Amino acid sequence: MTEAILIALPAVPVATAGLVLLAPSGRVADRIALGGANVTAAVATTLVVLALTAAPGVEVTGDWLQLDVASGVFLALAAAVGLVGAIVSPAYLRHAGRGWFGERRSHVYYYAAFNLFWAALLTLPLVANLALAWLLIEGTTAASALLVSFSGKRSALEAGWKYLVLTTLGLGVALLGIVVLYAAVGGGGPGALGWDALAAAAPSLRRQTTLYAFVLVVVGLAAKIGWAPVHNWLPDAHSEAPAPISALLSAALLPIVLLIAWRTELALAPALGQTAIREVFLGFGLLSLAVSVPFLWRPLPWKRLLAYSSLEHMGILALGIGIGTPLAIAGVVVHLAGHAIAKSLGFFTAIPLLRQDPWAARRAARGVARFSSSTAGAMAVSLASLAALPPSPLFVSEVMVLLAGIDAGLLGVSASAAVLLALGFLGLSHALLEGLFGGRGKRGTGPSPRSARAVAGLSAFAVVALLALTAAAFALPGSDLVRGLTGGAA
Amino acid sequence: MSAAVAALVALGFGVIAVRRRSHATVLVALQGLILGVTAISREGGESGAMAVAGAILIIRAAAIPLLLLLARRRTPERTLVAPTTSVATRLLVATAVVLVAVAATPPLGIADRVAEHGAVALVCLGIATVVVRRPALLQLLGILVAENGVYLLAIAVSGGVPAAIELGVLFDLVLVVTVAGAFAGKIHERVGSGDTDLLRGLRD
């Protein structure tokens, strides 16, 4: 039964993509996409429940697909962000204009690409094989590059092209690592690259070759995760993509590709040793934090600011995984969920913001509270949470990761990260205050678009979800969920 | 194998050096042909594996170059996009990058050390092509040169890489080339040229 649901999960969005292509009008396409998204989310929720109730054990293990605790956590992210993205997409498309595909068919092609992208994102957490994971990640590139450039503007084409070229090159490097790894395990068919098969073979692998393969795979995937210094596409793609796609890229794609790097690390750990793994992840983590923080202090357009915040948060996740203790992994789980909620809300807020103040696409938003309380409220919830202002769950998760670092004897790393996070907090707080009350932005309330009212509802929902997550965070260390993610340790 | 690797690397240098997109496309098609013939010759007569290698040869040496030539026809340039650097500079930089990368690469555990060096050299040449060439189609050809490097290593693995993975990678490659071709057409339509330097508006 569970196996059938596993197959249904990607099948539903792929079928929705096919159906939507037959839609005679944009409005019909909206309805088909919404219906498909609800069915997809229901199937995904069933799998999430099955995965989490089986914790710390594994619900299903197969040659190509598996359902474990990590699958449940990351599937929940992809399903939730995708569903809300599908719900808010009509609000974006209503005013999107001609775009790449012309006005008449733009909804149809948007939803087709959206659903194919979403199908790949939903499948990736379930994948039990490194080669299959690579194929799906490369598949996301084609669909999402078209979505990044959906508006057809010159800047969007630049962002989409940069994303396509840089991530494809990065994945080429990762594929080189996979071939080296396949040779190292001595071949034996595609099953040799399964997580379990790699873990079983790891103790007998040559350390030097395995390390080289691991570094190639992780460095290649880093280009897709958006870790510095291979993050150049990230701010451009996130800022130029339609808001629901920016949310999917930031809150789902980046963490899910990170999961693949994490699973590779867990499988190869017996061959590599903890020190080498730590050096790779902590290096990417600290560098991403250090690169992102100066940009959080600059007056950037709203979506671009959120993009650099993604770089910062991917850095924190890298630190948590690099430290790798149960407390750090508990922090990673809280951080993943909190980041997904706050970042999605931030990108969805861009829809009414850019309707009310179109200049905010090219310069920093200013004085939003003067013309829209609902948009300003959503911005405040999103940015305050991302800045890790208590009681944001991101504050709790960052403290967990830093304490875990100190506990693991990584005092220098934790201290450096704490300083960078404090600077990032100040930068984002400054940006929030300026965005709400500062400058000589647009004045007068004017008409409030429907999307502003919808975002007000989403903000209320996000506040409840974030506070619930903060409360749940304290129960997470020592739980079955963390035990399932750390192979028994809690 | 050594002669094939030398020819592949020489063709990779050619992609960095030539000015015309059509010439570079032919060089990449030749790389596909050499790789395909090498793969078939190493299969040792096993019919299923020969069929897969044959299909890969047709797609790499004919179908993908055809897609690229069609994309080139849809994006005619009134004048050639002037390279920002001279041929000598490009070749010098590429040679330096390749030599450093090859010298720094430890043994990858594949019996054929020449193929290991060739693969690393092609991946570096592909990346260098993307960095130093401005036309969108030439940057796409850089990606293909890098992918050819990975395929060279896959061929050299004892027993080969599973057909399912090779075909999956090829499917993804065709998908990326198709989407990149569409991008090249759209960029040309929007800015009147395939020169990606004209798209440098996003800065912080």
Side-chain angles (χ1 to χ4, degrees), chain A residues 100 131 134-135 138-139 142 145-146 149 152-155 157-161 164-165 168-169 172 175-176 179-180 182-183 189-190 193 209 212 235-236 240 295 298 300 304 308, chain B residues 105-110 123 127 130 136 139 143 146-147 150 153-154 157 160-162 165 168-169 172 175-176 179-180 182-183 186-187 190-191 196 198-204:
Chain A
W100 178 311
W134 185 93
L135 293 173
E138 181 73 311
L146 287 173
S149 298
K153 291 177 189 163
R154 200 173 167 133
S155 53
L157 288 173
E158 178 185 352
W161 180 254
L164 182 71
V165 169
T168 304
L169 272 181
L175 185 61
L176 193 71
V179 174
V180 173
Y182 183 74
L193 291 168
T209 311
Y212 196 65
D236 298 345
E240 294 302 320
F295 289 98
R298 296 176 67 169
L300 294 173
R304 235 173 148 72
Y308 281 107
Chain B
T105 304
L108 301 178
I110 291 161
V123 170
I127 294 171
V130 171
Q139 293 188 342
I143 290 175
E147 291 278 352
V150 180
L153 198 71
V157 170
V161 168
I165 296 176
V169 170
D172 275 350
L175 200 63
V176 165
V179 170
F183 261 96
K186 204 69 184 175
I187 291 169
R190 183 65 69 179
V191 301
T196 53
L198 299 174
L199 286 175
R200 295 198 170 177
L202 295 170
R203 289 283 180 278
D204 290 314

Coordinates of all heavy atoms in Angstrom, one line a residue, chain A residues 100 131 134-135 138-139 142 145-146 149 152-155 157-161 164-165 168-169 172 175-176 179-180 182-183 189-190 193 209 212 235-236 240 295 298 300 304 308, chain B residues 105-110 123 127 130 136 139 143 146-147 150 153-154 157 160-162 165 168-169 172 175-176 179-180 182-183 186-187 190-191 196 198-204:
Chain A
W100 N 7.2 35.2 -20.9 CA 7.9 34.5 -21.9 C 7.0 33.9 -23.0 O 7.2 33.8 -24.2 CB 8.7 33.4 -21.2 CG 9.5 32.5 -22.1 CD1 9.1 31.8 -23.2 CD2 10.9 32.1 -22.0 NE1 10.1 31.0 -23.7 CE2 11.2 31.2 -23.0 CE3 11.9 32.5 -21.0 CZ2 12.5 30.7 -23.1 CZ3 13.1 31.9 -21.2 CH2 13.4 31.0 -22.2
A131 N 22.6 8.2 -7.7 CA 22.5 8.5 -9.1 C 21.1 9.0 -9.5 O 21.0 9.9 -10.2 CB 22.9 7.2 -9.9
W134 N 20.7 12.5 -8.4 CA 21.4 13.4 -9.3 C 20.5 13.7 -10.6 O 20.4 14.8 -11.0 CB 22.8 12.8 -9.8 CG 23.5 13.8 -10.6 CD1 24.5 14.7 -10.2 CD2 23.4 14.0 -12.1 NE1 24.9 15.4 -11.3 CE2 24.3 15.0 -12.4 CE3 22.6 13.4 -13.1 CZ2 24.4 15.5 -13.7 CZ3 22.7 13.9 -14.4 CH2 23.7 14.9 -14.7
L135 N 19.9 12.6 -11.1 CA 19.1 12.8 -12.3 C 17.9 13.7 -12.0 O 17.5 14.5 -12.8 CB 18.6 11.4 -12.8 CG 19.6 10.4 -13.3 CD1 19.0 9.1 -13.6 CD2 20.3 11.0 -14.6
E138 N 19.1 17.4 -11.6 CA 19.3 18.0 -12.9 C 18.0 18.2 -13.6 O 17.8 19.3 -14.3 CB 20.2 17.0 -13.7 CG 20.6 17.5 -15.1 CD 21.6 18.6 -15.2 OE1 21.4 19.6 -14.4 OE2 22.5 18.5 -16.0
G139 N 17.0 17.3 -13.4 CA 15.7 17.6 -14.0 C 15.0 18.8 -13.5 O 14.3 19.5 -14.2
A142 N 16.0 22.2 -15.5 CA 15.4 22.6 -16.7 C 14.0 23.3 -16.5 O 13.8 24.4 -17.0 CB 15.2 21.3 -17.6
A145 N 14.5 26.7 -14.4 CA 15.1 27.8 -15.1 C 14.1 28.5 -16.0 O 14.1 29.7 -16.1 CB 16.2 27.2 -16.0
L146 N 13.2 27.8 -16.6 CA 12.1 28.4 -17.4 C 11.2 29.2 -16.5 O 10.8 30.3 -16.9 CB 11.3 27.3 -18.1 CG 11.9 26.6 -19.3 CD1 11.1 25.5 -19.8 CD2 12.2 27.6 -20.5
S149 N 12.7 32.6 -15.5 CA 12.7 33.6 -16.5 C 11.3 33.8 -17.0 O 11.1 34.4 -18.1 CB 13.6 33.2 -17.7 OG 14.9 33.1 -17.3
G152 N 10.0 36.9 -18.8 CA 10.5 37.2 -20.1 C 11.3 38.5 -20.1 O 11.8 38.9 -21.2
K153 N 11.5 39.2 -19.0 CA 12.2 40.5 -18.9 C 13.7 40.2 -19.1 O 14.2 39.1 -18.8 CB 12.0 41.2 -17.6 CG 10.6 41.7 -17.4 CD 10.5 42.3 -16.0 CE 9.1 42.7 -15.6 NZ 8.9 42.9 -14.2
R154 N 14.4 41.2 -19.6 CA 15.9 41.0 -19.8 C 16.6 40.5 -18.5 O 17.4 39.6 -18.5 CB 16.4 42.4 -20.2 CG 17.7 42.4 -20.9 CD 17.9 43.9 -21.3 NE 19.3 44.1 -21.7 CZ 19.6 44.7 -22.8 NH1 18.7 45.2 -23.6 NH2 20.9 44.9 -23.1
S155 N 16.2 41.1 -17.4 CA 16.8 40.7 -16.1 C 16.5 39.3 -15.7 O 17.3 38.6 -15.2 CB 16.4 41.7 -15.0 OG 15.0 41.8 -14.9
L157 N 15.8 36.9 -17.9 CA 16.5 36.0 -18.8 C 18.0 35.9 -18.3 O 18.5 34.8 -18.3 CB 16.5 36.6 -20.2 CG 15.2 36.5 -21.0 CD1 15.3 37.2 -22.3 CD2 14.8 35.1 -21.2
E158 N 18.5 37.0 -17.8 CA 19.9 36.9 -17.3 C 20.0 36.0 -16.1 O 20.8 35.1 -16.0 CB 20.4 38.3 -16.9 CG 21.7 38.3 -16.3 CD 22.2 39.7 -15.7 OE1 21.4 40.7 -16.0 OE2 23.2 39.8 -15.1
A159 N 19.0 36.1 -15.2 CA 18.9 35.3 -14.0 C 18.7 33.8 -14.3 O 19.4 32.9 -13.8 CB 17.8 35.8 -13.1
G160 N 17.8 33.5 -15.3 CA 17.5 32.2 -15.6 C 18.7 31.5 -16.3 O 19.0 30.3 -16.1
W161 N 19.4 32.3 -17.2 CA 20.5 31.7 -17.9 C 21.7 31.4 -17.0 O 22.3 30.4 -17.0 CB 21.0 32.7 -19.0 CG 22.1 32.2 -19.8 CD1 23.4 32.7 -19.7 CD2 22.2 31.2 -20.8 NE1 24.2 32.0 -20.6 CE2 23.5 31.0 -21.2 CE3 21.2 30.3 -21.3 CZ2 23.9 30.1 -22.2 CZ3 21.5 29.4 -22.3 CH2 22.9 29.3 -22.7
L164 N 20.8 28.3 -15.0 CA 20.9 27.1 -15.8 C 22.4 26.7 -16.0 O 22.8 25.6 -15.8 CB 20.2 27.4 -17.2 CG 20.2 26.2 -18.2 CD1 19.2 25.2 -17.7 CD2 19.8 26.7 -19.6
V165 N 23.2 27.7 -16.4 CA 24.6 27.4 -16.8 C 25.4 27.0 -15.5 O 26.1 25.9 -15.5 CB 25.3 28.6 -17.5 CG1 26.8 28.4 -17.6 CG2 24.6 28.8 -18.8
T168 N 24.1 23.7 -13.9 CA 24.4 22.5 -14.7 C 25.9 22.2 -14.6 O 26.3 21.0 -14.6 CB 24.0 22.8 -16.2 OG1 22.6 23.1 -16.2 CG2 24.2 21.5 -17.0
L169 N 26.8 23.2 -14.7 CA 28.2 22.9 -14.5 C 28.5 22.3 -13.2 O 29.3 21.4 -13.1 CB 29.0 24.2 -14.7 CG 29.4 24.7 -16.1 CD1 30.2 25.9 -16.0 CD2 30.2 23.6 -16.8
G172 N 27.6 18.8 -13.1 CA 28.6 18.1 -13.9 C 29.7 17.6 -13.0 O 30.2 16.5 -13.1
L175 N 28.5 14.9 -10.8 CA 28.5 13.6 -11.6 C 29.8 13.0 -11.7 O 30.0 11.7 -11.6 CB 27.8 13.9 -13.0 CG 27.6 12.6 -13.8 CD1 26.6 11.7 -13.2 CD2 27.0 13.0 -15.2
L176 N 30.9 13.8 -11.9 CA 32.2 13.3 -11.9 C 32.5 12.5 -10.6 O 33.1 11.4 -10.6 CB 33.2 14.4 -12.1 CG 34.6 14.1 -12.5 CD1 34.7 13.6 -13.9 CD2 35.5 15.3 -12.4
V179 N 30.8 9.2 -10.5 CA 31.5 8.1 -11.3 C 32.7 7.6 -10.6 O 33.0 6.4 -10.5 CB 31.9 8.7 -12.7 CG1 32.7 7.7 -13.5 CG2 30.7 9.1 -13.5
V180 N 33.4 8.5 -9.9 CA 34.6 8.1 -9.2 C 34.2 7.2 -8.0 O 34.8 6.2 -7.7 CB 35.4 9.4 -8.6 CG1 36.5 9.0 -7.6 CG2 35.9 10.2 -9.7
Y182 N 31.5 5.3 -7.9 CA 31.0 4.1 -8.5 C 32.2 3.2 -8.8 O 32.2 2.0 -8.5 CB 30.2 4.3 -9.8 CG 29.6 3.1 -10.4 CD1 28.5 2.4 -9.8 CD2 30.2 2.5 -11.5 CE1 28.0 1.3 -10.4 CE2 29.7 1.3 -12.1 CZ 28.6 0.7 -11.5 OH 28.1 -0.4 -12.0
A183 N 33.3 3.7 -9.3 CA 34.5 3.0 -9.5 C 35.1 2.5 -8.2 O 35.6 1.3 -8.1 CB 35.5 3.8 -10.3
G189 N 26.3 -2.5 -10.7 CA 25.0 -2.0 -11.1 C 24.5 -0.8 -10.4 O 25.2 -0.4 -9.4
P190 N 23.4 -0.2 -10.8 CA 23.0 1.1 -10.2 C 22.7 0.9 -8.7 O 22.9 1.9 -7.9 CB 21.7 1.4 -10.9 CG 21.3 0.2 -11.7 CD 22.5 -0.6 -11.9
L193 N 25.0 2.4 -5.8 CA 25.0 3.8 -5.4 C 23.8 4.1 -4.5 O 23.5 5.2 -4.2 CB 24.9 4.7 -6.6 CG 26.2 4.7 -7.4 CD1 26.1 5.4 -8.8 CD2 27.4 5.4 -6.6
T209 N 40.4 8.0 -2.2 CA 39.5 8.1 -3.3 C 38.1 8.5 -2.9 O 37.5 9.3 -3.6 CB 39.5 6.7 -4.0 OG1 40.8 6.3 -4.2 CG2 38.8 6.8 -5.4
Y212 N 37.9 12.2 -2.2 CA 37.9 12.9 -3.4 C 36.6 12.9 -4.1 O 36.0 14.0 -4.5 CB 39.0 12.4 -4.4 CG 39.4 13.3 -5.5 CD1 40.0 14.5 -5.2 CD2 39.0 13.0 -6.8 CE1 40.3 15.4 -6.3 CE2 39.3 13.9 -7.8 CZ 40.0 15.1 -7.6 OH 40.2 16.0 -8.6
P235 N 21.0 35.0 -5.7 CA 20.3 36.3 -5.6 C 19.6 36.7 -6.8 O 18.4 37.2 -6.7 CB 21.4 37.3 -5.3 CG 22.6 36.5 -4.9 CD 22.5 35.2 -5.6
D236 N 20.1 36.4 -8.0 CA 19.5 36.8 -9.2 C 18.2 35.9 -9.5 O 17.1 36.5 -9.8 CB 20.4 36.6 -10.4 CG 21.7 37.5 -10.3 OD1 21.6 38.4 -9.5 OD2 22.6 37.3 -11.0
E240 N 14.3 37.4 -9.4 CA 13.7 37.6 -10.7 C 12.5 36.6 -10.9 O 11.6 36.8 -11.8 CB 14.7 37.4 -11.9 CG 15.7 38.5 -11.9 CD 15.1 39.9 -12.0 OE1 14.1 40.1 -12.8 OE2 15.6 40.9 -11.4
F295 N 25.7 41.8 2.8 CA 24.6 42.1 1.9 C 23.3 42.4 2.7 O 22.4 43.1 2.2 CB 24.4 41.0 0.9 CG 25.4 40.9 -0.2 CD1 26.5 40.0 -0.1 CD2 25.4 41.8 -1.3 CE1 27.5 40.0 -1.0 CE2 26.5 41.8 -2.2 CZ 27.5 40.9 -2.1
R298 N 22.9 46.0 3.3 CA 22.8 46.9 2.2 C 21.3 47.2 1.9 O 20.5 46.3 2.1 CB 23.5 46.4 1.0 CG 25.0 46.3 1.2 CD 25.7 45.7 0.1 NE 25.7 46.5 -1.1 CZ 26.4 46.3 -2.2 NH1 27.2 45.3 -2.2 NH2 26.3 47.1 -3.2
L300 N 18.8 46.6 -0.2 CA 18.5 45.8 -1.4 C 17.0 45.7 -1.6 O 16.2 45.8 -0.6 CB 19.0 44.4 -1.1 CG 20.5 44.2 -1.1 CD1 20.9 42.8 -0.7 CD2 21.2 44.6 -2.4
R304 N 15.5 40.4 -3.2 CA 17.0 40.2 -3.2 C 17.5 40.1 -1.8 O 18.4 39.3 -1.5 CB 17.7 41.4 -3.9 CG 18.5 41.0 -5.1 CD 19.1 42.1 -5.9 NE 20.4 41.7 -6.4 CZ 20.6 40.7 -7.3 NH1 19.6 40.1 -7.9 NH2 21.8 40.4 -7.7
Y308 N 19.6 36.8 -0.1 CA 20.8 36.8 0.7 C 20.6 36.1 2.0 O 21.5 35.5 2.6 CB 21.5 38.2 0.8 CG 22.2 38.5 -0.5 CD1 21.7 39.4 -1.4 CD2 23.4 37.9 -0.8 CE1 22.4 39.8 -2.6 CE2 24.1 38.2 -2.0 CZ 23.6 39.1 -2.8 OH 24.3 39.4 -4.0
Chain B
T105 N 45.3 16.6 -9.5 CA 44.4 15.5 -9.3 C 45.0 14.2 -8.8 O 45.9 13.7 -9.5 CB 43.7 15.2 -10.6 OG1 43.1 16.4 -11.1 CG2 42.6 14.1 -10.5
P106 N 44.6 13.7 -7.6 CA 45.2 12.5 -7.2 C 44.6 11.3 -8.0 O 43.6 11.5 -8.7 CB 44.7 12.4 -5.7 CG 43.4 13.2 -5.7 CD 43.6 14.3 -6.7
P107 N 45.1 10.1 -7.9 CA 44.6 9.0 -8.6 C 43.1 8.8 -8.2 O 42.8 8.8 -7.0 CB 45.4 7.8 -8.1 CG 46.7 8.4 -7.6 CD 46.3 9.7 -7.1
L108 N 42.2 8.6 -9.2 CA 40.8 8.5 -8.9 C 40.3 7.1 -8.8 O 39.1 6.8 -8.6 CB 40.0 9.2 -10.0 CG 40.3 10.7 -10.3 CD1 39.5 11.2 -11.4 CD2 40.0 11.5 -9.0
G109 N 41.3 6.2 -8.8 CA 40.9 4.8 -8.6 C 40.4 4.1 -9.9 O 39.9 3.0 -9.8
I110 N 40.6 4.7 -11.0 CA 40.3 4.1 -12.3 C 41.6 3.7 -12.9 O 42.5 4.4 -13.0 CB 39.5 5.1 -13.2 CG1 38.1 5.3 -12.5 CG2 39.3 4.6 -14.6 CD1 37.4 6.5 -12.9
V123 N 36.7 18.6 -18.2 CA 35.8 19.4 -17.3 C 36.3 20.8 -17.1 O 35.6 21.8 -17.2 CB 35.7 18.6 -16.0 CG1 34.9 19.5 -14.9 CG2 34.9 17.3 -16.2
I127 N 34.5 24.4 -18.2 CA 34.3 25.5 -17.3 C 34.9 26.7 -17.8 O 34.4 27.8 -17.8 CB 34.8 25.1 -15.9 CG1 33.9 24.0 -15.3 CG2 34.7 26.3 -15.0 CD1 34.5 23.4 -14.0
V130 N 32.9 28.3 -20.6 CA 31.8 29.1 -20.1 C 32.2 30.5 -19.6 O 31.6 31.5 -19.8 CB 31.1 28.3 -19.0 CG1 30.0 29.2 -18.3 CG2 30.4 27.1 -19.5
A136 N 25.8 32.9 -25.9 CA 25.1 31.9 -25.1 C 25.4 30.5 -25.7 O 25.6 29.5 -24.9 CB 23.6 32.2 -25.2
Q139 N 28.7 29.1 -24.6 CA 28.7 28.7 -23.2 C 28.0 27.4 -23.0 O 28.5 26.5 -22.3 CB 28.0 29.8 -22.4 CG 28.7 31.1 -22.3 CD 28.1 32.1 -21.4 OE1 27.0 32.0 -20.9 NE2 28.9 33.1 -21.0
I143 N 29.4 23.7 -21.6 CA 28.8 22.7 -20.7 C 28.9 21.3 -21.3 O 29.2 20.3 -20.6 CB 27.3 23.0 -20.5 CG1 27.2 24.3 -19.6 CG2 26.5 21.8 -19.8 CD1 25.7 24.8 -19.5
A146 N 32.4 19.8 -20.8 CA 32.5 19.3 -19.5 C 31.8 18.0 -19.3 O 32.3 17.0 -18.7 CB 32.0 20.3 -18.5
E147 N 30.6 17.9 -19.9 CA 29.8 16.6 -19.8 C 30.6 15.5 -20.5 O 30.5 14.3 -20.1 CB 28.4 16.8 -20.4 CG 27.5 17.7 -19.6 CD 26.9 17.0 -18.4 OE1 27.0 15.7 -18.3 OE2 26.3 17.7 -17.5
V150 N 33.0 14.0 -18.3 CA 32.5 13.0 -17.3 C 32.2 11.7 -18.0 O 32.4 10.6 -17.5 CB 31.2 13.6 -16.7 CG1 30.5 12.6 -15.7 CG2 31.4 14.9 -16.0
L153 N 35.3 9.6 -18.4 CA 35.6 8.8 -17.2 C 34.7 7.6 -17.0 O 35.1 6.5 -16.6 CB 35.5 9.8 -16.0 CG 36.2 9.3 -14.7 CD1 37.7 9.3 -14.9 CD2 35.8 10.1 -13.5
A154 N 33.4 7.8 -17.3 CA 32.4 6.7 -17.2 C 32.8 5.6 -18.1 O 32.6 4.4 -17.7 CB 31.0 7.3 -17.5
V157 N 35.7 3.5 -16.6 CA 35.4 2.7 -15.4 C 35.4 1.2 -15.8 O 34.7 0.9 -16.8 CB 34.1 3.1 -14.7 CG1 33.7 2.1 -13.6 CG2 34.2 4.5 -14.2
G160 N 32.2 -0.4 -17.0 CA 31.3 0.7 -17.4 C 30.3 1.1 -16.4 O 30.2 0.4 -15.4
V161 N 29.7 2.2 -16.6 CA 28.7 2.7 -15.7 C 27.3 2.1 -16.2 O 27.2 1.9 -17.4 CB 28.6 4.2 -15.7 CG1 27.4 4.8 -15.1 CG2 29.9 4.8 -15.1
P162 N 26.4 1.7 -15.2 CA 25.2 1.1 -15.6 C 24.4 1.9 -16.7 O 24.4 3.1 -16.7 CB 24.3 1.1 -14.4 CG 25.3 1.1 -13.3 CD 26.5 1.9 -13.8
I165 N 21.9 4.5 -15.8 CA 22.4 5.8 -15.4 C 22.9 6.6 -16.6 O 22.6 7.8 -16.8 CB 23.6 5.6 -14.4 CG1 23.0 5.0 -13.1 CG2 24.2 7.0 -14.1 CD1 24.1 4.7 -12.1
G168 N 19.9 7.9 -18.4 CA 19.2 9.0 -17.6 C 20.0 10.3 -17.7 O 19.4 11.3 -17.9
V169 N 21.3 10.2 -17.7 CA 22.2 11.4 -17.8 C 22.0 12.0 -19.2 O 21.9 13.2 -19.4 CB 23.7 11.0 -17.6 CG1 24.6 12.2 -18.0 CG2 23.9 10.6 -16.1
D172 N 18.7 13.8 -19.4 CA 18.8 15.1 -18.7 C 19.6 16.1 -19.6 O 19.2 17.3 -19.7 CB 19.5 15.0 -17.4 CG 18.5 14.6 -16.3 OD1 17.3 14.7 -16.5 OD2 19.0 14.3 -15.2
L175 N 17.5 17.4 -22.3 CA 16.5 18.3 -21.8 C 17.2 19.7 -21.5 O 16.6 20.8 -21.9 CB 16.0 17.8 -20.4 CG 14.7 18.3 -19.8 CD1 13.6 17.9 -20.7 CD2 14.5 17.6 -18.5
V176 N 18.4 19.7 -21.0 CA 19.1 21.0 -20.7 C 19.4 21.7 -22.0 O 19.3 22.9 -22.1 CB 20.3 20.7 -19.8 CG1 21.3 21.9 -19.8 CG2 19.9 20.3 -18.4
V179 N 16.2 23.3 -23.4 CA 15.9 24.5 -22.6 C 16.9 25.6 -22.9 O 16.5 26.8 -23.1 CB 15.8 24.2 -21.1 CG1 15.6 25.4 -20.3 CG2 14.6 23.2 -20.9
A180 N 18.2 25.3 -22.9 CA 19.2 26.3 -23.2 C 19.1 26.8 -24.6 O 19.3 28.0 -24.8 CB 20.6 25.7 -23.0
A182 N 16.2 27.2 -26.2 CA 15.1 28.1 -26.1 C 15.5 29.4 -25.4 O 15.1 30.5 -25.9 CB 14.0 27.5 -25.3
F183 N 16.4 29.3 -24.4 CA 16.9 30.5 -23.8 C 17.7 31.4 -24.8 O 17.6 32.6 -24.9 CB 17.8 30.2 -22.6 CG 17.2 30.2 -21.3 CD1 16.6 29.1 -20.7 CD2 17.1 31.4 -20.6 CE1 16.0 29.2 -19.4 CE2 16.5 31.5 -19.4 CZ 15.9 30.4 -18.8
K186 N 15.4 33.2 -27.0 CA 14.7 34.3 -26.3 C 15.7 35.5 -26.0 O 15.3 36.6 -26.1 CB 14.2 33.7 -25.0 CG 13.0 34.5 -24.4 CD 11.8 34.3 -25.3 CE 10.6 35.2 -24.9 NZ 9.5 35.1 -25.8
I187 N 16.9 35.1 -25.6 CA 17.9 36.2 -25.3 C 18.2 37.0 -26.6 O 18.2 38.2 -26.6 CB 19.2 35.6 -24.8 CG1 19.0 35.0 -23.4 CG2 20.4 36.6 -24.8 CD1 20.1 34.2 -22.9
R190 N 15.3 39.2 -27.4 CA 15.2 40.4 -26.4 C 16.3 41.4 -26.6 O 16.0 42.6 -26.6 CB 15.2 39.8 -25.0 CG 15.0 40.8 -23.9 CD 13.7 41.5 -23.9 NE 12.6 40.6 -23.6 CZ 11.3 41.0 -23.5 NH1 11.0 42.2 -23.7 NH2 10.4 40.1 -23.1
V191 N 17.5 41.0 -26.9 CA 18.6 41.9 -26.9 C 19.2 42.1 -28.3 O 20.2 42.8 -28.5 CB 19.8 41.6 -25.9 CG1 19.2 41.7 -24.5 CG2 20.4 40.3 -26.2
T196 N 26.0 37.2 -24.1 CA 25.5 37.3 -22.8 C 26.1 38.5 -22.0 O 25.6 38.8 -20.9 CB 25.9 36.0 -22.0 OG1 27.3 35.7 -22.1 CG2 25.1 34.8 -22.5
L198 N 25.7 41.4 -22.8 CA 24.6 42.4 -22.9 C 23.6 42.2 -21.8 O 22.7 43.0 -21.7 CB 24.0 42.4 -24.3 CG 24.9 42.7 -25.5 CD1 24.1 42.5 -26.8 CD2 25.4 44.1 -25.4
L199 N 23.7 41.1 -21.1 CA 22.7 40.8 -20.0 C 23.2 41.1 -18.6 O 22.8 40.5 -17.7 CB 22.3 39.3 -20.1 CG 21.4 38.8 -21.3 CD1 21.3 37.3 -21.2 CD2 20.1 39.5 -21.2
R200 N 24.2 41.9 -18.5 CA 24.8 42.1 -17.2 C 24.2 43.3 -16.4 O 24.8 44.3 -16.2 CB 26.3 42.3 -17.3 CG 27.0 41.0 -17.9 CD 28.4 41.0 -17.6 NE 29.0 39.7 -17.9 CZ 30.3 39.4 -17.8 NH1 31.1 40.3 -17.4 NH2 30.7 38.2 -18.1
G201 N 22.9 43.1 -16.1 CA 22.2 44.2 -15.4 C 22.0 44.0 -13.9 O 21.7 44.9 -13.2
L202 N 22.2 42.7 -13.5 CA 21.9 42.4 -12.1 C 23.2 42.4 -11.3 O 24.1 41.6 -11.4 CB 21.3 40.9 -12.0 CG 19.9 40.8 -12.7 CD1 19.6 39.3 -12.7 CD2 18.9 41.5 -11.9
R203 N 23.3 43.5 -10.5 CA 24.5 43.7 -9.7 C 24.1 44.2 -8.3 O 23.1 44.9 -8.2 CB 25.4 44.7 -10.3 CG 26.1 44.3 -11.5 CD 27.3 43.4 -11.2 NE 28.0 42.9 -12.4 CZ 27.6 41.9 -13.2 NH1 26.5 41.3 -12.9 NH2 28.3 41.6 -14.2
D204 N 24.9 43.9 -7.3 CA 24.6 44.5 -5.9 C 25.7 45.4 -5.5 O 26.9 45.2 -5.8 CB 24.5 43.3 -4.9 CG 23.2 42.5 -5.1 OD1 22.2 43.2 -5.3 OD2 23.3 41.3 -5.1

